[in-house]
Amino acid sequence: MTDNLPDHTNATQLSIIVPVYNEEEGLQALFDRLYPALDALAAKRHLRYEIVFVNDGSKDRSAGILSKQYEIRPDVTRVVLFHSNFGQHMAIMAGFEYARGQYIVTLDADLQNPPEEIDALVNELLAGHDYVGTIREQRRDSWFRKSASRAMNHLRQRITRITMTDQGCMLRGYHRRIVDLVRQCDESNTFIPALAYTFSASPTEINVKHEERFAGESKYSLYQLIRLNFDLVTGFSVMPLQIFSILGMLLSLAAGTLFAYLLVRRFVLGAEVEGVFTLFALTFFLIGVMLFGLGLLGEYVGRIYQQIRQRPRYVVQTVLEQP
Ligand code: UDP
Ligand code: MG
């Protein structure tokens, strides 16, 4: 294992990408922990780092706070300011676009991922792993969030065959090769850790600590979490559609059998009108199944539509950086 990087050029070797959306209350606390942690890491491993903050169209003072921080540490800070809110994954995508490092680590701005853990990730990257996933020890989220994400993790693993013990944690490390492949994909709705995983040759996972949000509240509503999970499942597998065609096949088989049975009864017992409510129940159930199927089709069609329009995935307003 190499502890020191072989080349001693002036090039940046490590890029940290931090998406920021309405985080004014927590940013200063983040700076106070992130910069010392990275300065120590850089000294220990003899490497140059940079932090790429991507302001995802915050409506509060976040952009101003980031510009001020850029003036304080212009040597290691770069700030990408989005025109409006394009979502966490697009912010990370932009970070990938602007990052110059050989190794790239993504980190949340809310201090739920301790910056001190970056060292452990870098260790795995230097050891030759091209993708470093993380598993949150003692996750500090609400009970509902935890159990819902456990169930979703399980389902996603079965459907997409992507092995991620903990899909929700965004503190992750990637090799430049993976990041370049992700950038080439040009997808407008995506879940970056899963996409990156599909390109990795030697992935690994490590345990990291997890803390409560330092300030402010989660930027994800239940609705957005559901949307994100659709991105994750439909973006990486067509199995939901296939399950649906099998379900449709089974249901029509059952309906056909029922029809034959009723036809025989009609001739044996004569006309009957009993069991109307059962029929209603059955019909409503089938309508429900059909609506769900239509919605599912819509998920895929919607994605195709967004993709073929080829609108820009995000719009950058300004970039604060040194040449
Ligand atoms: N974030 C973002 N754009 C968004 C929503 C969130 O850039 O539209 C950022 C946010 O500032 C934070 C990270 O993504 O740095 C994770 O968001 P959050 O902590 O709210 O998610 P949770 O931890 O609740 O899953
Ligand atoms: Mg968070």
Side-chain angles (χ1 to χ4, degrees):
M1 197 162 65
T2 46
D3 227 7
N4 297 348
L5 278 167
D7 70 332
H8 292 284
T9 55
N10 242 359
T12 305
Q13 289 113 344
L14 176 66
S15 299
I16 314 294
I17 297 174
V18 189
V20 176
Y21 180 57
N22 293 348
E23 302 280 6
E24 60 178 10
E25 295 136 308
L27 278 178
Q28 191 54 49
L30 174 72
F31 301 153
D32 292 345
R33 272 176 73 184
L34 185 57
Y35 284 88
L38 287 173
D39 286 333
L41 190 154
K44 178 176 140 195
R45 298 190 186 272
H46 307 290
L47 51 74
R48 274 174 63 88
Y49 76 89
E50 64 174 2
I51 309 175
V52 184
F53 291 102
V54 185
N55 176 41
D56 187 13
S58 300
K59 291 171 193 73
D60 63 1
R61 292 181 297 116
S62 297
I65 299 172
L66 290 174
S67 336
K68 202 154 282 160
Q69 182 61 24
Y70 169 73
E71 276 158 27
I72 299 173
R73 292 293 302 270
D75 53 327
V76 291
T77 310
R78 300 169 74 197
V79 182
V80 179
L81 299 170
F82 272 7
H83 184 264
S84 56
N85 184 238
F86 293 93
Q88 182 186 2
H89 289 261
M90 281 308 119
I92 293 176
M93 196 65 95
F96 281 177
E97 204 71 42
Y98 286 89
R100 296 167 175 159
Q102 194 63 18
Y103 304 104
I104 290 139
V105 170
T106 56
L107 181 84
D108 280 356
D110 57 0
L111 280 174
Q112 283 195 284
N113 316 129
E116 294 76 23
E117 298 279 3
I118 296 174
D119 190 42
L121 265 95
V122 170
N123 204 28
E124 297 297 321
L125 287 170
L126 290 175
H129 292 288
D130 54 2
Y131 174 95
V132 188
T134 48
I135 306 163
R136 289 170 283 189
E137 296 167 353
Q138 294 175 349
R139 204 177 145 186
R140 300 295 174 91
D141 273 316
S142 68
W143 175 85
F144 173 74
R145 276 290 287 269
K146 276 194 275 199
S147 37
S149 79
R150 202 173 309 129
M152 200 49 224
N153 252 321
H154 200 73
L155 182 68
R156 196 238 39 250
Q157 191 132 337
R158 298 287 293 271
I159 297 179
T160 62
R161 311 228 166 271
I162 291 173
T163 320
M164 275 196 293
T165 313
D166 188 357
Q167 68 181 36
C169 189
M170 281 313 234
L171 172 62
R172 278 161 202 275
Y174 310 96
H175 190 270
R176 153 90 19 213
R177 192 181 68 81
I178 306 284
V179 165
D180 286 341
L181 285 167
V182 168
R183 281 172 46 204
Q184 275 173 34
C185 284
D186 247 9
E187 290 188 35
S188 41
N189 286 299
T190 197
F191 194 84
I192 285 172
L195 189 59
Y197 178 87
T198 58
F199 297 125
S200 63
S202 107
T204 185
E205 281 187 328
I206 60 170
N207 283 315
V208 292
K209 292 198 190 64
H210 192 239
E211 295 174 6
E212 302 221 25
R213 209 174 210 292
F214 179 81
E217 48 195 36
S218 174
K219 306 296 178 284
Y220 282 99
S221 62
L222 183 61
Y223 171 75
Q224 283 169 314
L225 282 177
I226 294 173
R227 302 289 334 145
L228 198 66
N229 277 303
F230 266 113
D231 279 343
L232 191 46
V233 171
T234 58
F236 295 91
S237 166
V238 288
M239 201 199 265
L241 284 178
Q242 291 163 343
I243 291 175
F244 231 80
S245 43
I246 290 175
L247 190 70
M249 203 174 72
L250 293 178
L251 280 175
S252 36
L253 214 67
T257 319
L258 188 67
F259 176 71
Y261 169 72
L262 288 177
L263 199 69
V264 173
R265 267 180 82 102
R266 172 67 183 78
F267 287 114
V268 177
L269 300 174
E272 334 166 74
V273 284
E274 304 276 334
V276 176
F277 288 126
T278 323
L279 190 65
F280 266 122
L282 210 67
T283 313
F284 285 144
F285 171 70
L286 289 183
I287 291 175
V289 172
M290 269 160 53
L291 281 179
F292 179 66
L294 263 179
L296 196 64
L297 257 178
E299 290 289 335
Y300 284 95
V301 175
R303 276 176 180 69
I304 299 170
Y305 178 53
Q306 280 178 337
Q307 201 66 46
I308 61 157
R309 278 186 311 195
Q310 295 195 324
R311 294 204 182 146
R313 293 184 286 182
Y314 51 80
V315 182
V316 173
Q317 196 173 46
T318 322
V319 182
L320 307 177
E321 63 182 2
Q322 283 187 335

Short mmCIF file of all heavy atoms in Angstrom, two decimals, residues 292-320:
data_model
loop_
_atom_site.label_atom_id
_atom_site.label_comp_id
_atom_site.label_asym_id
_atom_site.label_seq_id
_atom_site.Cartn_x
_atom_site.Cartn_y
_atom_site.Cartn_z
N PHE A 292 -51.53 1.38 -11.50
CA PHE A 292 -50.14 1.31 -11.06
C PHE A 292 -49.23 1.02 -12.25
O PHE A 292 -48.18 1.64 -12.43
CB PHE A 292 -49.98 0.24 -9.97
CG PHE A 292 -48.57 0.10 -9.49
CD1 PHE A 292 -47.97 1.14 -8.80
CD2 PHE A 292 -47.85 -1.05 -9.73
CE1 PHE A 292 -46.66 1.03 -8.36
CE2 PHE A 292 -46.54 -1.17 -9.30
CZ PHE A 292 -45.95 -0.13 -8.61
N GLY A 293 -49.69 0.10 -13.09
CA GLY A 293 -48.91 -0.25 -14.28
C GLY A 293 -48.74 0.94 -15.21
O GLY A 293 -47.65 1.20 -15.73
N LEU A 294 -49.83 1.69 -15.38
CA LEU A 294 -49.77 2.88 -16.23
C LEU A 294 -48.77 3.89 -15.67
O LEU A 294 -47.97 4.47 -16.40
CB LEU A 294 -51.14 3.54 -16.28
CG LEU A 294 -52.00 3.20 -17.47
CD1 LEU A 294 -53.34 3.91 -17.34
CD2 LEU A 294 -51.30 3.66 -18.74
N GLY A 295 -48.86 4.08 -14.35
CA GLY A 295 -47.95 5.02 -13.69
C GLY A 295 -46.51 4.60 -13.89
O GLY A 295 -45.64 5.42 -14.17
N LEU A 296 -46.28 3.32 -13.78
CA LEU A 296 -44.93 2.80 -13.92
C LEU A 296 -44.41 3.04 -15.34
O LEU A 296 -43.29 3.49 -15.55
CB LEU A 296 -44.96 1.30 -13.61
CG LEU A 296 -43.64 0.64 -13.34
CD1 LEU A 296 -43.02 1.22 -12.09
CD2 LEU A 296 -43.83 -0.85 -13.17
N LEU A 297 -45.28 2.78 -16.30
CA LEU A 297 -44.92 3.05 -17.69
C LEU A 297 -44.57 4.53 -17.85
O LEU A 297 -43.60 4.88 -18.50
CB LEU A 297 -46.11 2.75 -18.59
CG LEU A 297 -46.06 1.46 -19.38
CD1 LEU A 297 -47.34 1.31 -20.19
CD2 LEU A 297 -44.86 1.46 -20.31
N GLY A 298 -45.40 5.37 -17.19
CA GLY A 298 -45.17 6.81 -17.23
C GLY A 298 -43.81 7.19 -16.70
O GLY A 298 -43.15 8.08 -17.24
N GLU A 299 -43.36 6.50 -15.66
CA GLU A 299 -42.03 6.78 -15.10
C GLU A 299 -40.96 6.62 -16.16
O GLU A 299 -40.04 7.43 -16.29
CB GLU A 299 -41.73 5.85 -13.92
CG GLU A 299 -42.54 6.11 -12.69
CD GLU A 299 -42.15 7.41 -11.99
OE1 GLU A 299 -41.00 7.85 -12.16
OE2 GLU A 299 -43.01 7.98 -11.31
N TYR A 300 -41.07 5.54 -16.91
CA TYR A 300 -40.06 5.30 -17.95
C TYR A 300 -40.23 6.27 -19.11
O TYR A 300 -39.27 6.85 -19.58
CB TYR A 300 -40.16 3.85 -18.47
CG TYR A 300 -39.58 2.85 -17.50
CD1 TYR A 300 -40.38 2.18 -16.60
CD2 TYR A 300 -38.21 2.57 -17.49
CE1 TYR A 300 -39.86 1.27 -15.70
CE2 TYR A 300 -37.68 1.67 -16.60
CZ TYR A 300 -38.50 1.01 -15.70
OH TYR A 300 -37.98 0.13 -14.82
N VAL A 301 -41.48 6.46 -19.54
CA VAL A 301 -41.71 7.35 -20.68
C VAL A 301 -41.25 8.77 -20.32
O VAL A 301 -40.61 9.44 -21.12
CB VAL A 301 -43.20 7.34 -21.08
CG1 VAL A 301 -43.47 8.36 -22.17
CG2 VAL A 301 -43.61 5.96 -21.54
N GLY A 302 -41.56 9.21 -19.11
CA GLY A 302 -41.15 10.53 -18.66
C GLY A 302 -39.65 10.70 -18.74
O GLY A 302 -39.14 11.74 -19.15
N ARG A 303 -38.94 9.67 -18.33
CA ARG A 303 -37.47 9.74 -18.37
C ARG A 303 -36.96 9.81 -19.79
O ARG A 303 -36.04 10.54 -20.11
CB ARG A 303 -36.87 8.55 -17.65
CG ARG A 303 -36.81 8.81 -16.19
CD ARG A 303 -36.31 7.63 -15.43
NE ARG A 303 -36.29 7.99 -14.03
CZ ARG A 303 -37.37 8.20 -13.31
NH1 ARG A 303 -38.56 8.03 -13.84
NH2 ARG A 303 -37.28 8.58 -12.06
N ILE A 304 -37.60 9.02 -20.67
CA ILE A 304 -37.18 9.05 -22.08
C ILE A 304 -37.41 10.46 -22.63
O ILE A 304 -36.56 11.04 -23.30
CB ILE A 304 -37.98 8.02 -22.91
CG1 ILE A 304 -37.73 6.62 -22.40
CG2 ILE A 304 -37.61 8.12 -24.39
CD1 ILE A 304 -38.65 5.57 -22.99
N TYR A 305 -38.56 11.03 -22.29
CA TYR A 305 -38.91 12.37 -22.75
C TYR A 305 -37.88 13.40 -22.28
O TYR A 305 -37.37 14.20 -23.07
CB TYR A 305 -40.30 12.71 -22.21
CG TYR A 305 -40.78 14.09 -22.58
CD1 TYR A 305 -40.80 14.51 -23.90
CD2 TYR A 305 -41.22 14.97 -21.60
CE1 TYR A 305 -41.25 15.77 -24.23
CE2 TYR A 305 -41.67 16.23 -21.92
CZ TYR A 305 -41.67 16.63 -23.24
OH TYR A 305 -42.10 17.88 -23.56
N GLN A 306 -37.55 13.34 -20.98
CA GLN A 306 -36.58 14.31 -20.46
C GLN A 306 -35.23 14.13 -21.13
O GLN A 306 -34.50 15.09 -21.38
CB GLN A 306 -36.44 14.14 -18.96
CG GLN A 306 -37.56 14.83 -18.23
CD GLN A 306 -37.46 14.64 -16.73
OE1 GLN A 306 -36.83 13.70 -16.25
NE2 GLN A 306 -38.09 15.52 -15.99
N GLN A 307 -34.90 12.89 -21.42
CA GLN A 307 -33.59 12.61 -21.99
C GLN A 307 -33.49 13.11 -23.43
O GLN A 307 -32.49 13.69 -23.82
CB GLN A 307 -33.33 11.11 -21.91
CG GLN A 307 -31.88 10.74 -21.98
CD GLN A 307 -31.11 11.25 -20.76
OE1 GLN A 307 -31.55 11.10 -19.64
NE2 GLN A 307 -29.97 11.84 -20.99
N ILE A 308 -34.56 12.89 -24.22
CA ILE A 308 -34.44 13.26 -25.64
C ILE A 308 -34.55 14.75 -25.87
O ILE A 308 -34.10 15.25 -26.90
CB ILE A 308 -35.46 12.53 -26.55
CG1 ILE A 308 -36.88 12.88 -26.14
CG2 ILE A 308 -35.24 11.04 -26.58
CD1 ILE A 308 -37.86 12.68 -27.28
N ARG A 309 -35.11 15.49 -24.92
CA ARG A 309 -35.14 16.94 -25.10
C ARG A 309 -33.76 17.54 -25.06
O ARG A 309 -33.51 18.61 -25.57
CB ARG A 309 -36.01 17.58 -24.01
CG ARG A 309 -37.46 17.52 -24.33
CD ARG A 309 -38.24 18.29 -23.32
NE ARG A 309 -37.82 17.91 -21.97
CZ ARG A 309 -38.51 18.20 -20.88
NH1 ARG A 309 -39.62 18.87 -20.96
NH2 ARG A 309 -38.08 17.83 -19.69
N GLN A 310 -32.87 16.82 -24.36
CA GLN A 310 -31.48 17.26 -24.26
C GLN A 310 -31.32 18.68 -23.78
O GLN A 310 -30.50 19.43 -24.30
CB GLN A 310 -30.76 17.07 -25.60
CG GLN A 310 -30.66 15.62 -25.97
CD GLN A 310 -29.66 15.38 -27.06
OE1 GLN A 310 -29.53 16.20 -27.96
NE2 GLN A 310 -28.96 14.27 -26.99
N ARG A 311 -32.13 19.04 -22.81
CA ARG A 311 -31.90 20.34 -22.20
C ARG A 311 -30.68 20.22 -21.30
O ARG A 311 -30.36 19.12 -20.86
CB ARG A 311 -33.12 20.70 -21.34
CG ARG A 311 -34.32 20.92 -22.21
CD ARG A 311 -35.32 21.79 -21.52
NE ARG A 311 -36.49 21.93 -22.37
CZ ARG A 311 -37.71 22.03 -21.92
NH1 ARG A 311 -37.94 22.01 -20.61
NH2 ARG A 311 -38.72 22.17 -22.73
N PRO A 312 -30.03 21.33 -21.00
CA PRO A 312 -28.90 21.24 -20.09
C PRO A 312 -29.34 20.69 -18.74
O PRO A 312 -30.43 21.03 -18.26
CB PRO A 312 -28.40 22.68 -19.97
CG PRO A 312 -29.39 23.53 -20.64
CD PRO A 312 -30.24 22.68 -21.50
N ARG A 313 -28.50 19.85 -18.16
CA ARG A 313 -28.89 19.21 -16.89
C ARG A 313 -28.86 20.22 -15.75
O ARG A 313 -29.56 20.10 -14.78
CB ARG A 313 -27.91 18.08 -16.58
CG ARG A 313 -28.04 16.96 -17.55
CD ARG A 313 -27.15 15.85 -17.14
NE ARG A 313 -25.76 16.16 -17.40
CZ ARG A 313 -24.76 15.34 -17.16
NH1 ARG A 313 -25.02 14.17 -16.61
NH2 ARG A 313 -23.52 15.65 -17.46
N TYR A 314 -27.98 21.20 -15.90
CA TYR A 314 -27.92 22.26 -14.89
C TYR A 314 -27.33 23.49 -15.56
O TYR A 314 -26.71 23.39 -16.62
CB TYR A 314 -27.06 21.83 -13.70
CG TYR A 314 -25.71 21.29 -14.06
CD1 TYR A 314 -24.66 22.14 -14.38
CD2 TYR A 314 -25.48 19.92 -14.12
CE1 TYR A 314 -23.42 21.66 -14.73
CE2 TYR A 314 -24.24 19.42 -14.47
CZ TYR A 314 -23.22 20.29 -14.77
OH TYR A 314 -21.99 19.80 -15.12
N VAL A 315 -27.58 24.64 -14.97
CA VAL A 315 -27.06 25.87 -15.54
C VAL A 315 -26.17 26.55 -14.51
O VAL A 315 -26.60 26.84 -13.40
CB VAL A 315 -28.21 26.82 -15.95
CG1 VAL A 315 -27.66 28.08 -16.59
CG2 VAL A 315 -29.16 26.12 -16.89
N VAL A 316 -24.93 26.76 -14.89
CA VAL A 316 -23.98 27.38 -13.97
C VAL A 316 -24.00 28.89 -14.19
O VAL A 316 -23.97 29.37 -15.32
CB VAL A 316 -22.57 26.82 -14.20
CG1 VAL A 316 -21.55 27.56 -13.37
CG2 VAL A 316 -22.54 25.33 -13.89
N GLN A 317 -24.09 29.62 -13.08
CA GLN A 317 -24.11 31.07 -13.18
C GLN A 317 -22.68 31.63 -13.14
O GLN A 317 -22.28 32.36 -14.02
CB GLN A 317 -24.91 31.61 -12.00
CG GLN A 317 -25.35 33.02 -12.15
CD GLN A 317 -26.28 33.37 -11.00
OE1 GLN A 317 -25.98 33.05 -9.85
NE2 GLN A 317 -27.37 34.01 -11.30
N THR A 318 -21.95 31.24 -12.11
CA THR A 318 -20.58 31.74 -11.93
C THR A 318 -19.72 30.64 -11.34
O THR A 318 -20.22 29.78 -10.62
CB THR A 318 -20.54 32.90 -10.90
OG1 THR A 318 -21.68 33.70 -11.08
CG2 THR A 318 -19.28 33.73 -11.04
N VAL A 319 -18.44 30.70 -11.63
CA VAL A 319 -17.50 29.81 -10.97
C VAL A 319 -16.41 30.67 -10.35
O VAL A 319 -15.82 31.51 -11.03
CB VAL A 319 -16.86 28.82 -11.96
CG1 VAL A 319 -15.92 27.87 -11.23
CG2 VAL A 319 -17.93 28.02 -12.68
N LEU A 320 -16.22 30.51 -9.04
CA LEU A 320 -15.13 31.24 -8.38
C LEU A 320 -13.95 30.30 -8.25
O LEU A 320 -14.03 29.29 -7.57
CB LEU A 320 -15.58 31.68 -6.98
CG LEU A 320 -16.89 32.47 -6.90
CD1 LEU A 320 -17.23 32.76 -5.45
CD2 LEU A 320 -16.77 33.76 -7.69
#
